[in-house]
Amino acid sequence: MTDTVNDTVTGRLRHALTDVFALAYLGLCAALLIWALAVTLTDDSGESMAGVIPLLATAPAGMVLFWLPDHLSMLVLSVALGALVNATVIGWCARTLRR
């Protein structure tokens, strides 16, 4: 009976996203995003390219949403969703390789 609970989509996502490697990747992406936002907001010239680093860290999934309208929230959204997708794949691969 407990096997059916773990075989649901939410159970699989929970297992994939709570893996050590997935959590480390999410932490790295969060740190890069916070750094990029701090550098961009304190730059007076408006020519900061710091947003490229977290976007490249979440490629290829983060690149899909980057083409949305030009606003700082779109960068945050694309990095967050890209990091979640990539962390799910990382967690799934780590779990599969442990079997």
Side-chain angles (χ1 to χ4, degrees):
M1 191 77 150
T2 59
D3 291 336
T4 58
V5 174
N6 290 335
D7 288 340
T8 63
V9 174
T10 56
R12 288 183 183 187
L13 281 175
R14 183 176 50 85
H15 281 290
L17 288 175
T18 56
D19 187 68
V20 173
F21 296 110
L23 290 174
Y25 175 75
L26 284 173
L28 175 71
C29 289
L32 286 174
L33 182 62
I34 291 169
W35 169 78
L37 289 175
V39 168
T40 302
L41 292 176
T42 58
D43 184 23
D44 293 336
S45 66
E47 298 174 358
S48 175
M49 294 292 292
V52 174
I53 302 299
L55 191 63
L56 288 177
T58 60
M63 295 287 196
V64 174
L65 293 175
F66 186 65
W67 303 109
L68 292 174
D70 187 27
H71 194 266
L72 190 60
S73 63
M74 291 301 118
L75 174 69
V76 173
L77 180 69
S78 64
V79 169
L81 288 178
L84 283 175
V85 169
N86 290 345
T88 303
V89 172
I90 290 169
W92 175 77
C93 288
R95 184 175 177 220
T96 302
L97 288 173
R98 275 193 217 111
R99 288 184 182 182

